[in-house]
Amino acid sequence: MSDTYDDTYYEFGTPAERWDRARFFFDAKEYVTSARILAGLVAEVPEQVAPRLLLARAYYHSARLGKAEAELNAVLERDPVEHYARLMLGRTLERQGRHAEAAPHLRMAAAMSGELPDVA
């Protein structure tokens, strides 16, 4: 199979069809394939948060943590109160051993979700 065929497959269809295909591959735990489809969607509609967030998740699950971090930061630039992106960024940083950097993101995500620690 040639690279041209591969690229055509990932780019084939309307944005809605590619979104559905990317979600199908994500749900099947085919994160690399999902990310490949989503990267094209994100390039077309960089202002939309949902494809970028799913792309970050696909990168995270396929251990491409630098790429996940970049996408999560892009999501948070557009939507600073996106709770799940904040949580994912904290976990991504933790997974890279960057616990001090992760802590504020995880605390903020907990506060946004109402999971504040009990104060006696």
Side-chain angles (χ1 to χ4, degrees):
M1 188 174 351
S2 73
D3 287 339
T4 303
Y5 176 78
D6 286 346
D7 292 342
T8 302
Y9 173 75
Y10 296 112
E11 297 170 4
F12 179 76
T14 66
E17 290 168 338
R18 285 180 284 142
W19 170 250
D20 287 343
R21 189 177 315 122
R23 288 180 35 208
F24 171 81
F25 281 110
F26 186 90
D27 290 344
K29 298 184 181 185
E30 294 288 337
Y31 302 117
V32 172
T33 303
S34 180
R36 192 163 177 184
I37 296 165
L38 288 163
L41 282 173
V42 166
E44 286 178 37
V45 287
E47 70 283 354
Q48 289 190 7
V49 171
R52 195 176 288 273
L53 188 55
L54 190 58
L55 176 58
R57 292 175 63 200
Y59 284 148
Y60 177 86
H61 288 297
S62 61
R64 294 186 284 174
L65 302 177
K67 288 184 174 205
E69 180 182 349
E71 293 302 330
L72 291 164
N73 280 318
V75 167
L76 291 169
E77 272 182 27
R78 288 163 176 76
D79 187 357
V81 295
E82 169 52 60
H83 160 261
Y84 191 69
R86 189 72 60 186
L87 176 65
M88 284 276 317
L89 180 57
R91 288 186 177 165
T92 299
L93 293 169
E94 273 186 332
R95 197 167 164 196
Q96 294 176 74
R98 296 161 57 191
H99 300 283
E101 290 176 70
H105 295 289
L106 295 173
R107 279 194 302 273
M108 206 176 309
M112 288 178 188
S113 70
E115 297 174 16
L116 295 174
D118 293 331
V119 178

